[in-house]
Amino acid sequence: MHPRRPDGFDGLGYRGGARDEQGFGGAFPARSFSTGSDLGHWVTTPPDIPGSRNLHWGEKSPPYGVPTTSTPYEGPTEEPFSSGGGGSVQGQSSEQLNRFAGFGIGLASLFTENVLAHPCIVLRRQCQVNYHAQHYHLTPFTVINIMYSFNKTQGPRALWKGMGSTFIVQGVTLGAEGIISEFTPLPREVLHKWSPKQIGEHLLLKSLTYVVAMPFYSASLIETSEIIRDNTGILECVKEGIGRVIGMGVPHSKRLLPLLSLIFPTVLHGVLHYIISSVIQKFVLLILKRKTYNSHLAESTSPVQSMLDAYFPELIANFAASLCSDVILYPLETVLHRLHIQGTRTIIDNTDLGYEVLPINTQYEGMRDCINTIRQEEGVFGFYKGFGAVIIQYTLHAAVLQITKIIYSTLLQNNI
């Protein structure tokens, strides 16, 4: 499972990191944008917006990666009284800008991952489950063309369907993880002095979370893959997820795989996505930390760059971790999505023509049979159908991060 993005479990919506840079930072789910320089432990909690690390007037922004002194905080610096009050006004303005910038940077990243990239997720899933397709859409050029065709024939709703269900799955995932960790000894955090037992218990918590969210993820996958329905409500995902568990609700065909047979591929994808993204995130953060530390030793860092170093390293690490894990696990994700959607009587858009619809009538017996069938009938590239949408998704995300960085740098230069 990505939330991604996704997210290991893509529909779980999140592909992000943990609050601290050390350890299994958590591609699955929680993306935090805090940037503590102490790589002490791993935390997977709901995503927050950076901005809580705001400086008091008189403080200086701590350079990212530079060890802080042990001197306790002695309070704001008091300045001599000035009848004009210019220094105080300037300090308040700088503090407000820092707070606004932190909020804006985090909000832009969250918006890109969960809203702006949703059309790419929709088309990517439709391509993955379309075993009829002759065009695999491995490049972004063909993906843009088919997106235009869908938008022209069905309107903008064709690329934004099921977005509400992805947020519901994220909420279910966060709630399940919190409840399980409260009533069991399984840790949400893994301290720096970890042991194999702690790692195993932490991954077990993640696995149980994926199992709880699995029926709702399956319902969300159907909503984002099938043709537009007029009667879908915001809680339709919850209704169909519960119906899938108790065997009631929307009628399914005999080819529907039981949830028990979906547990292994779902947990495997989710745990691997979590581990890979966490390792990548930690590695990138260490590189950025060393680079920033060397630049500060050379005394070549400007005040603007110091403030940028307070926010962007973790965003870059989260971006790199999510991208690498999505690319590495894309074939497994294709298999997972086909197993989840089999037997649900889902009708998808024709990704070859850009119009018309196609039914999903696969008859896989399980994960191994699905892998063998795809390799024999569609070839190795059959596992990568719709990969061009991933390229567009992360190119768009990188562009938004770069634009946000430019705007933030300009605002800082004008106020420092």
Side-chain angles (χ1 to χ4, degrees):
M1 300 198 253
H2 139 235
R4 198 130 157 185
R5 305 118 207 220
D7 54 27
F9 216 113
D10 199 1
L12 293 181
Y14 324 28
R15 310 163 184 170
R19 287 186 181 271
D20 293 343
E21 296 87 346
Q22 181 85 358
F24 284 72
F28 176 138
R31 305 187 177 204
S32 164
F33 297 96
S34 58
T35 57
S37 59
D38 181 17
L39 304 180
H41 57 278
W42 315 311
V43 186
T44 54
T45 48
D48 59 332
I49 307 263
S52 58
R53 297 169 278 96
N54 299 305
L55 303 177
H56 296 278
W57 169 238
E59 286 184 299
K60 293 184 179 180
S61 176
Y64 183 83
V66 178
T68 57
T69 61
S70 59
T71 305
Y73 172 69
E74 299 180 359
T77 303
E78 304 234 357
E79 293 191 353
F81 173 76
S82 174
S83 59
S88 177
V89 172
Q90 183 180 2
Q92 293 178 0
S93 175
S94 177
E95 181 180 356
Q96 292 176 356
L97 175 62
N98 190 32
R99 180 174 306 182
F100 172 78
F103 177 83
I105 292 170
L107 186 62
S109 181
L110 288 175
F111 176 79
T112 304
E113 295 173 9
N114 296 283
V115 179
L116 204 59
H118 191 74
C120 298
I121 296 174
V122 170
L123 186 60
R124 159 183 173 177
R125 292 180 173 181
Q126 287 196 328
C127 292
Q128 285 178 317
V129 301
N130 187 0
Y131 66 97
H132 304 279
Q134 300 298 320
H135 300 286
Y136 288 8
H137 301 295
L138 302 176
T139 66
F141 306 106
T142 59
V143 170
I144 293 175
N145 183 48
I146 204 68
M147 280 184 172
Y148 173 77
S149 299
F150 285 159
N151 185 76
K152 183 178 180 180
T153 56
Q154 304 179 41
R157 287 183 59 193
L159 298 176
W160 298 93
K161 54 192 175 186
M163 185 169 65
S165 66
T166 61
F167 289 107
I168 291 177
V169 173
Q170 292 182 30
V172 171
T173 303
L174 292 175
E177 183 177 355
I179 293 173
I180 294 174
S181 64
E182 285 293 329
F183 291 95
T184 64
L186 302 178
R188 297 184 74 181
E189 305 176 5
V190 180
L191 301 178
H192 178 59
K193 296 181 179 180
W194 54 269
S195 65
K197 180 181 178 182
Q198 287 180 324
I199 295 295
E201 291 177 345
H202 183 64
L203 294 180
L204 178 59
L205 173 63
K206 291 295 181 182
S207 301
L208 294 176
T209 302
Y210 301 148
V211 173
V212 173
M214 181 175 61
F216 305 99
Y217 174 75
S218 183
S220 174
L221 177 62
I222 294 173
E223 284 193 24
T224 54
S225 300
E226 69 178 351
I227 59 176
I228 301 174
R229 293 188 297 174
D230 295 330
N231 59 344
T232 54
I234 188 65
L235 297 179
E236 190 72 17
C237 174
V238 178
K239 176 183 175 182
E240 293 188 5
I242 297 176
R244 182 78 180 266
V245 174
I246 63 178
M248 299 177 60
V250 179
H252 301 113
S253 72
K254 296 181 179 180
R255 297 185 303 274
L256 181 70
L257 294 174
L259 288 177
L260 289 177
S261 65
L262 296 176
I263 290 179
F264 175 74
T266 298
V267 172
L268 177 64
H269 178 269
V271 171
L272 288 178
H273 195 287
Y274 180 74
I275 293 175
I276 293 173
S277 60
S278 300
V279 172
I280 298 284
Q281 184 196 38
K282 176 185 175 182
F283 179 72
V284 173
L285 279 173
L286 289 176
I287 293 178
L288 294 177
K289 178 181 178 180
R290 177 173 298 182
K291 180 180 178 182
T292 304
Y293 180 74
N294 292 335
S295 64
H296 282 285
L297 288 179
E299 297 182 355
S300 59
T301 303
S302 64
V304 173
Q305 186 62 40
S306 297
M307 290 189 178
L308 291 177
D309 290 340
Y311 295 106
F312 281 95
E314 187 169 351
L315 293 180
I316 296 174
N318 289 341
F319 170 83
S322 190
L323 171 61
C324 293
S325 55
D326 274 358
V327 171
I328 293 173
L329 296 178
Y330 196 87
L332 180 58
E333 183 184 77
T334 299
V335 174
L336 177 67
H337 287 173
R338 293 200 182 189
L339 295 177
H340 269 278
I341 211 167
Q342 176 173 301
T344 58
R345 297 185 176 179
T346 299
I347 300 176
I348 64 172
D349 297 306
N350 190 326
T351 56
D352 286 339
L353 303 177
Y355 56 90
E356 297 182 352
V357 295
L358 297 170
I360 299 298
N361 296 319
T362 54
Q363 300 183 17
Y364 305 123
E365 297 180 359
M367 181 177 176
R368 178 179 298 179
D369 181 54
C370 182
I371 294 174
N372 293 333
T373 303
I374 294 175
R375 184 173 62 245
Q376 293 172 6
E377 298 183 359
E378 304 171 52
V380 175
F381 289 110
F383 294 99
Y384 291 91
K385 283 185 174 180
F387 188 78
V390 177
I391 300 176
I392 296 178
Q393 176 183 340
Y394 283 98
T395 301
L396 184 64
H397 192 180
V400 171
L401 287 179
Q402 187 63 30
I403 293 173
T404 305
K405 184 176 182 179
I406 293 174
I407 295 175
Y408 186 33
S409 300
T410 303
L411 291 176
L412 288 175
Q413 289 174 356
N414 292 336
N415 287 270
I416 291 181

Coordinates of all heavy atoms in Angstrom, one line a residue, residues 33 101 103-118 120 160 308 311-312 315-316 319 391-409:
F33 N 6.8 17.6 8.1 CA 7.8 18.5 7.5 C 8.6 19.2 8.5 O 9.2 20.2 8.2 CB 7.0 19.5 6.6 CG 6.3 18.9 5.5 CD1 5.0 18.6 5.7 CD2 6.9 18.6 4.3 CE1 4.3 18.1 4.6 CE2 6.2 18.0 3.3 CZ 4.9 17.8 3.5
A101 N 6.0 31.5 5.6 CA 6.7 30.7 4.6 C 6.7 29.2 5.0 O 6.5 28.4 4.1 CB 8.1 31.2 4.5
F103 N 4.4 27.6 6.7 CA 3.1 27.1 6.4 C 2.9 26.9 4.9 O 2.3 25.9 4.4 CB 2.0 28.0 7.0 CG 0.6 27.6 6.7 CD1 0.0 26.7 7.5 CD2 -0.1 28.2 5.7 CE1 -1.3 26.3 7.2 CE2 -1.4 27.8 5.4 CZ -2.0 26.9 6.2
G104 N 3.3 27.9 4.1 CA 3.1 27.9 2.7 C 3.8 26.7 2.0 O 3.3 26.1 1.1
I105 N 5.1 26.5 2.4 CA 5.9 25.4 1.8 C 5.2 24.1 2.1 O 5.1 23.2 1.2 CB 7.3 25.5 2.4 CG1 8.0 26.7 1.9 CG2 8.1 24.2 2.0 CD1 9.4 27.0 2.6
G106 N 4.8 23.8 3.3 CA 4.2 22.6 3.6 C 2.9 22.4 2.9 O 2.6 21.3 2.4
L107 N 2.1 23.4 2.9 CA 0.8 23.4 2.2 C 1.0 23.1 0.7 O 0.2 22.3 0.1 CB 0.0 24.7 2.4 CG -1.4 24.7 1.9 CD1 -2.2 23.7 2.6 CD2 -2.0 26.1 2.1
A108 N 1.9 23.7 0.1 CA 2.2 23.5 -1.4 C 2.5 22.1 -1.6 O 2.1 21.5 -2.6 CB 3.3 24.4 -1.9
S109 N 3.4 21.5 -0.8 CA 3.8 20.1 -0.9 C 2.6 19.1 -0.8 O 2.4 18.2 -1.6 CB 4.9 19.7 0.0 OG 5.3 18.4 -0.1
L110 N 1.8 19.4 0.3 CA 0.6 18.5 0.5 C -0.4 18.6 -0.6 O -1.0 17.7 -1.1 CB -0.1 18.9 1.8 CG 0.7 18.5 3.1 CD1 0.0 19.1 4.3 CD2 0.8 17.0 3.2
F111 N -0.6 19.9 -1.1 CA -1.6 20.1 -2.2 C -1.1 19.4 -3.4 O -1.9 18.8 -4.2 CB -1.7 21.6 -2.5 CG -2.6 21.9 -3.6 CD1 -4.0 21.9 -3.5 CD2 -2.0 22.2 -4.9 CE1 -4.8 22.2 -4.5 CE2 -2.9 22.6 -5.9 CZ -4.2 22.5 -5.8
T112 N 0.2 19.4 -3.7 CA 0.7 18.7 -4.9 C 0.5 17.2 -4.8 O 0.1 16.6 -5.8 CB 2.2 19.1 -5.1 OG1 2.3 20.5 -5.2 CG2 2.7 18.5 -6.4
E113 N 0.9 16.7 -3.7 CA 0.8 15.2 -3.5 C -0.6 14.7 -3.5 O -0.8 13.6 -4.1 CB 1.5 14.8 -2.2 CG 3.0 15.1 -2.2 CD 3.6 14.9 -0.8 OE1 2.8 14.3 0.0 OE2 4.7 15.2 -0.6
N114 N -1.5 15.4 -2.9 CA -2.9 14.8 -2.7 C -3.9 15.4 -3.7 O -5.0 14.7 -3.8 CB -3.3 15.1 -1.3 CG -2.4 14.4 -0.3 OD1 -2.6 13.2 0.0 ND2 -1.6 15.2 0.4
V115 N -3.7 16.5 -4.3 CA -4.7 17.1 -5.2 C -4.2 17.2 -6.6 O -4.8 16.7 -7.5 CB -5.2 18.5 -4.6 CG1 -6.2 19.1 -5.5 CG2 -5.7 18.3 -3.2
L116 N -3.2 18.0 -6.8 CA -2.7 18.3 -8.1 C -2.3 17.0 -8.9 O -2.4 16.9 -10.1 CB -1.5 19.3 -8.0 CG -1.3 20.1 -9.3 CD1 -2.5 21.0 -9.6 CD2 -0.1 21.1 -9.0
A117 N -1.7 16.0 -8.2 CA -1.3 14.8 -8.8 C -2.4 13.8 -9.0 O -2.1 12.7 -9.5 CB -0.1 14.2 -8.0
H118 N -3.6 14.0 -8.5 CA -4.6 13.0 -8.6 C -5.0 12.6 -10.0 O -5.2 11.4 -10.2 CB -5.9 13.5 -7.9 CG -6.9 12.5 -7.7 ND1 -6.8 11.5 -6.7 CD2 -8.1 12.2 -8.4 CE1 -7.9 10.7 -6.8 NE2 -8.7 11.1 -7.8
C120 N -3.0 12.1 -12.4 CA -2.0 11.1 -12.8 C -2.2 9.8 -12.1 O -2.0 8.7 -12.7 CB -0.6 11.6 -12.4 SG -0.1 13.2 -13.2
W160 N -10.6 13.5 -12.0 CA -10.6 13.8 -10.6 C -11.6 12.9 -9.8 O -11.8 13.2 -8.6 CB -11.1 15.3 -10.4 CG -10.2 16.2 -11.0 CD1 -10.3 16.8 -12.3 CD2 -9.0 16.8 -10.5 NE1 -9.2 17.6 -12.6 CE2 -8.4 17.7 -11.5 CE3 -8.3 16.6 -9.3 CZ2 -7.2 18.4 -11.2 CZ3 -7.2 17.4 -9.0 CH2 -6.6 18.2 -10.0
L308 N 16.3 28.7 4.2 CA 15.9 27.6 3.3 C 16.3 26.2 3.8 O 15.5 25.3 3.6 CB 16.5 27.8 1.9 CG 16.0 29.1 1.1 CD1 16.8 29.2 -0.2 CD2 14.5 28.9 0.8
Y311 N 13.8 24.2 6.0 CA 12.6 23.6 5.4 C 12.8 22.6 4.3 O 12.1 21.5 4.3 CB 11.6 24.7 4.9 CG 11.1 25.6 6.0 CD1 11.6 26.9 6.1 CD2 10.2 25.2 7.0 CE1 11.2 27.7 7.1 CE2 9.7 26.0 8.0 CZ 10.2 27.3 8.0 OH 9.8 28.1 9.0
F312 N 13.6 22.9 3.4 CA 13.7 22.1 2.1 C 14.4 20.8 2.2 O 14.0 19.9 1.4 CB 14.2 23.0 1.0 CG 13.3 23.9 0.5 CD1 13.2 25.2 0.9 CD2 12.4 23.6 -0.5 CE1 12.3 26.1 0.4 CE2 11.4 24.4 -1.0 CZ 11.4 25.7 -0.5
L315 N 11.8 18.0 2.7 CA 10.9 17.9 1.6 C 11.6 17.2 0.4 O 11.0 16.4 -0.3 CB 10.4 19.3 1.2 CG 9.5 20.1 2.1 CD1 9.2 21.4 1.6 CD2 8.3 19.3 2.5
I316 N 12.8 17.5 0.2 CA 13.6 16.9 -0.9 C 13.8 15.4 -0.6 O 13.7 14.5 -1.5 CB 15.0 17.6 -1.1 CG1 14.7 19.0 -1.6 CG2 15.8 16.8 -2.1 CD1 16.0 19.9 -1.7
F319 N 10.5 13.6 -1.2 CA 10.3 13.5 -2.6 C 11.1 12.4 -3.2 O 10.6 11.5 -4.0 CB 10.6 14.8 -3.3 CG 10.7 14.8 -4.8 CD1 9.5 14.9 -5.5 CD2 11.8 14.6 -5.5 CE1 9.5 14.9 -6.9 CE2 11.9 14.6 -6.9 CZ 10.7 14.7 -7.6
I391 N 6.0 9.6 -14.2 CA 6.9 10.6 -14.6 C 6.3 12.0 -14.5 O 6.9 12.9 -14.0 CB 7.5 10.3 -16.0 CG1 8.1 8.9 -16.1 CG2 8.4 11.4 -16.5 CD1 8.6 8.5 -17.4
I392 N 5.1 12.1 -15.1 CA 4.4 13.4 -15.0 C 4.1 13.8 -13.6 O 4.3 15.0 -13.2 CB 3.1 13.3 -15.8 CG1 3.4 13.1 -17.3 CG2 2.3 14.6 -15.6 CD1 2.1 13.0 -18.1
Q393 N 3.7 12.9 -12.7 CA 3.4 13.2 -11.4 C 4.6 13.8 -10.6 O 4.4 14.8 -9.9 CB 2.9 11.9 -10.7 CG 2.6 12.1 -9.2 CD 2.2 10.7 -8.6 OE1 1.7 9.8 -9.3 NE2 2.3 10.6 -7.3
Y394 N 5.7 13.1 -10.7 CA 6.9 13.6 -9.9 C 7.5 14.8 -10.6 O 8.2 15.6 -9.9 CB 7.8 12.4 -9.7 CG 7.3 11.5 -8.6 CD1 6.7 10.3 -8.9 CD2 7.5 11.8 -7.3 CE1 6.2 9.5 -8.0 CE2 7.0 11.0 -6.3 CZ 6.4 9.8 -6.6 OH 5.9 9.0 -5.6
T395 N 7.4 14.9 -11.9 CA 7.9 16.1 -12.5 C 7.1 17.3 -12.1 O 7.7 18.4 -11.8 CB 7.8 16.0 -14.1 OG1 8.6 14.9 -14.5 CG2 8.3 17.3 -14.8
L396 N 5.8 17.2 -12.0 CA 4.9 18.2 -11.5 C 5.3 18.6 -10.0 O 5.3 19.7 -9.6 CB 3.5 17.8 -11.6 CG 2.4 18.8 -11.2 CD1 2.5 20.0 -12.2 CD2 1.0 18.2 -11.3
H397 N 5.5 17.6 -9.2 CA 5.8 17.8 -7.8 C 7.2 18.5 -7.7 O 7.3 19.5 -6.9 CB 5.9 16.4 -7.1 CG 6.0 16.5 -5.6 ND1 6.0 15.5 -4.8 CD2 6.0 17.6 -4.8 CE1 6.1 15.9 -3.5 NE2 6.1 17.2 -3.5
A398 N 8.2 18.1 -8.5 CA 9.5 18.8 -8.4 C 9.3 20.2 -8.9 O 10.0 21.1 -8.3 CB 10.5 18.1 -9.3
A399 N 8.5 20.5 -9.9 CA 8.3 21.9 -10.3 C 7.7 22.7 -9.3 O 8.1 23.9 -9.1 CB 7.5 21.9 -11.6
V400 N 6.7 22.2 -8.6 CA 6.0 23.0 -7.5 C 7.0 23.3 -6.4 O 7.0 24.4 -5.9 CB 4.8 22.2 -7.0 CG1 4.2 22.9 -5.7 CG2 3.7 22.1 -8.1
L401 N 7.8 22.3 -6.0 CA 8.8 22.6 -5.0 C 9.8 23.6 -5.4 O 10.2 24.5 -4.6 CB 9.6 21.3 -4.6 CG 8.8 20.2 -3.8 CD1 9.7 19.0 -3.6 CD2 8.3 20.7 -2.5
Q402 N 10.2 23.6 -6.6 CA 11.2 24.6 -7.1 C 10.6 26.0 -7.2 O 11.2 27.0 -6.8 CB 11.7 24.2 -8.5 CG 12.8 25.0 -9.0 CD 14.1 25.0 -8.2 OE1 14.4 24.0 -7.5 NE2 14.9 26.1 -8.1
I403 N 9.4 26.1 -7.7 CA 8.7 27.4 -7.7 C 8.5 27.9 -6.3 O 8.7 29.1 -6.0 CB 7.3 27.2 -8.4 CG1 7.6 26.9 -9.9 CG2 6.5 28.5 -8.3 CD1 6.3 26.6 -10.7
T404 N 8.1 27.0 -5.4 CA 7.9 27.5 -4.0 C 9.2 28.0 -3.4 O 9.3 29.0 -2.7 CB 7.4 26.3 -3.1 OG1 6.2 25.8 -3.7 CG2 7.1 26.8 -1.7
K405 N 10.3 27.3 -3.7 CA 11.6 27.7 -3.2 C 12.0 29.1 -3.8 O 12.6 29.9 -3.0 CB 12.7 26.7 -3.6 CG 14.1 26.9 -3.0 CD 15.0 25.8 -3.3 CE 16.4 26.1 -2.7 NZ 17.3 24.9 -3.0
I406 N 11.8 29.3 -5.0 CA 12.1 30.6 -5.7 C 11.3 31.7 -5.0 O 11.8 32.8 -4.7 CB 11.8 30.5 -7.2 CG1 12.8 29.6 -7.8 CG2 12.0 31.9 -7.8 CD1 12.6 29.3 -9.3
I407 N 10.0 31.5 -4.8 CA 9.1 32.5 -4.2 C 9.6 32.8 -2.8 O 9.7 34.0 -2.4 CB 7.7 32.1 -4.2 CG1 7.2 31.9 -5.7 CG2 6.8 33.0 -3.4 CD1 5.8 31.4 -5.8
Y408 N 9.9 31.8 -2.0 CA 10.4 31.9 -0.7 C 11.7 32.7 -0.6 O 11.9 33.6 0.2 CB 10.5 30.6 0.0 CG 10.8 30.6 1.4 CD1 10.4 31.6 2.3 CD2 11.6 29.6 2.0 CE1 10.7 31.6 3.6 CE2 11.9 29.5 3.3 CZ 11.4 30.6 4.2 OH 11.7 30.5 5.5
S409 N 12.6 32.4 -1.5 CA 13.9 33.1 -1.5 C 13.7 34.5 -1.9 O 14.3 35.4 -1.3 CB 14.8 32.4 -2.6 OG 15.0 31.1 -2.3

